[in-house]
Amino acid sequence: MDPSDFGKPPTHLAIIMDGNGRWAQQRMLKRIVGHQRGAETVKMVVEQASLLGIKYLTLFAFSSENWSRPVLEVRALMTLLKKYIRQETARMMRKNIRYNVIGNRSELPDDVNETLDGAIRETSGNTGMVLTLALSYGGRQEISMAAKRLTGDVLNGRLALDDITMEVFGSYLDTGGLPDPDFLIRTSGEMRISNFLLWQLAYTELYFTDINWPDFTINEFHKALNDFQSRERRFGKTSDQLNKRNSP
Ligand code: FPP
C-alpha cells in the first residue's frame, strides 16, 4: 500500500504480539520456532509502521509474568531478542528509527542490557519513528514504581503535593515523554490487556484479531489500520460536539 493511499494513521500504535506458542504447537514445532517466525512479523510491522508515518510503535515483547515460563524458552527468547537487535540496528539507522525500552531492565541478563544500550545509543540521534520494546514489563509494576519515585520526590522536597496532576504522574511512568497510544492491536483471539500499559490505554481504541502473531501479514496489518480510520474518538464528548469542532 502506498502511504498516500492511506488515511491518517495512529500517532502511537501499541501491539500485544500473541500466539507464537500456539502457532508452533499447531504445527508440531517447538515454541521457539513460533517466536522466531514472530520476529519476522516484527520486521514487517516495524518497516510498514515507519513507512506509513506512525510516529511511535510500542511492542509488548516480554512481560513481567513471562519469567515464569520454562527456563529454556526464556533463554531462547533472550537470545532471539539480542540477535534481532544486533541484526536490525543497521536497518533502524537507514530508516531513521530510534530504539527505546520500557520495563524492569534490572531483571534482564547483562548481555541483553549491553546489546540494548548499544542500540539505544547508536539510534539516539534518529528523528523518525520511536520503536519502544516493552521488556520485563508489567503495567501494575510500572505504576507502583512511578508512585514510589514520585513519593520520594515529595519527601525530599523536589515536588510539592499540590503539584501532582495526571500529567505529572504520567511523567514518572516509563513512558514519560511518549503520547498515549491511539490504537492497540492484540493478535491470537485473546481479548485482554494482560497488564500492558494500564494507565496509558485509558482512551485507546482496541482491535482484536484471531490471527496468531506469526501469521499476521501485511494485509492483516493494513486491515487493522483501516479499521482504526473508521473509529470515532470522542474522549467522553458527544458526536455533535466533535462535529461542531470539526466544521469550518
Ligand atoms: C506471545 O506469544 C509472545 C511472546 C511472549 C514473545 C514475543 C516475542 C516475539 C514476537 C519475538 C521476538 C521479539 C522481538 C521484538 C524481536 P505466546 O508465546 O504467549 O503464545 P501463546 O499464547 O500461543 O503461547
Side-chain angles (χ1 to χ4, degrees), residues 17-22 31 35 38 61 66 69 80-81 84 213:
M17 313 181 286
D18 198 11
N20 293 348
R22 271 163 289 166
R31 293 176 57 84
H35 296 311
N66 286 153
R69 291 196 172 196
L80 179 62
L81 190 69
Y84 180 92
W213 181 248

Side-chain angles (χ1 to χ4, degrees), residues 23-30:
W23 181 92
Q25 279 162 342
Q26 283 157 10
R27 289 162 180 78
M28 308 295 211
L29 298 167
K30 290 200 173 126

Side-chain angles (χ1 to χ4, degrees), residues 45-240:
V45 163
V46 169
E47 175 141 3
Q48 280 294 305
S50 141
L51 193 73
L52 295 171
I54 288 172
K55 299 267 187 307
Y56 303 88
L57 173 65
T58 300
L59 303 177
F60 202 4
F62 194 86
S63 74
S64 312
E65 291 74 25
N66 286 153
W67 291 114
S68 52
R69 291 196 172 196
V71 170
L72 284 181
E73 183 175 345
V74 170
R75 210 176 284 162
L77 264 171
M78 291 296 139
T79 305
L80 179 62
L81 190 69
K82 219 169 57 178
K83 192 168 142 213
Y84 180 92
I85 305 275
R86 288 205 178 129
Q87 281 178 352
E88 289 299 301
T89 302
R91 201 201 306 256
M92 299 299 106
M93 293 305 292
R94 282 199 299 280
K95 303 217 171 277
N96 196 24
I97 298 172
R98 181 158 66 86
Y99 273 120
N100 180 40
V101 176
I102 57 173
N104 186 356
R105 286 192 56 186
S106 68
E107 289 178 343
L108 296 173
D110 288 347
D111 56 341
V112 172
N113 268 323
E114 280 160 25
T115 305
L116 289 170
D117 281 339
I120 291 170
R121 208 171 30 242
E122 205 176 325
T123 61
S124 62
N126 290 349
T127 53
M129 187 174 83
V130 176
L131 170 59
T132 299
L133 300 179
L135 294 170
S136 191
Y137 174 87
R140 287 186 171 178
Q141 290 84 335
E142 179 192 32
I143 292 170
S144 38
M145 287 312 291
K148 202 167 161 180
R149 282 195 293 269
L150 179 137
T151 308
D153 279 355
V154 171
L155 290 176
N156 65 29
R158 261 191 288 209
L159 181 69
L161 200 57
D162 286 344
D163 288 341
I164 299 174
T165 59
M166 286 187 286
E167 287 70 30
V168 168
F169 188 84
S171 72
Y172 279 82
L173 295 168
D174 292 3
T175 50
L178 302 181
D180 289 342
D182 309 284
F183 196 42
L184 171 84
I185 297 174
R186 179 171 189 154
T187 58
S188 92
E190 308 290 355
M191 295 204 205
R192 290 188 290 272
I193 297 303
S194 297
N195 204 13
F196 189 42
L197 301 175
L198 292 182
W199 171 279
Q200 300 86 338
L201 292 177
Y203 286 102
T204 302
E205 296 293 331
L206 309 179
Y207 180 92
F208 299 101
T209 168
D210 286 341
I211 311 274
N212 286 327
W213 181 248
D215 280 338
F216 191 68
T217 56
I218 190 166
N219 283 343
E220 289 298 332
F221 188 33
H222 290 163
K223 197 165 119 190
L225 292 173
N226 270 324
D227 189 281
F228 175 72
Q229 307 298 316
S230 67
R231 308 283 179 104
E232 183 188 53
R233 307 195 66 210
R234 294 204 298 274
F235 299 100
K237 296 186 174 166
T238 66
S239 288
D240 281 352

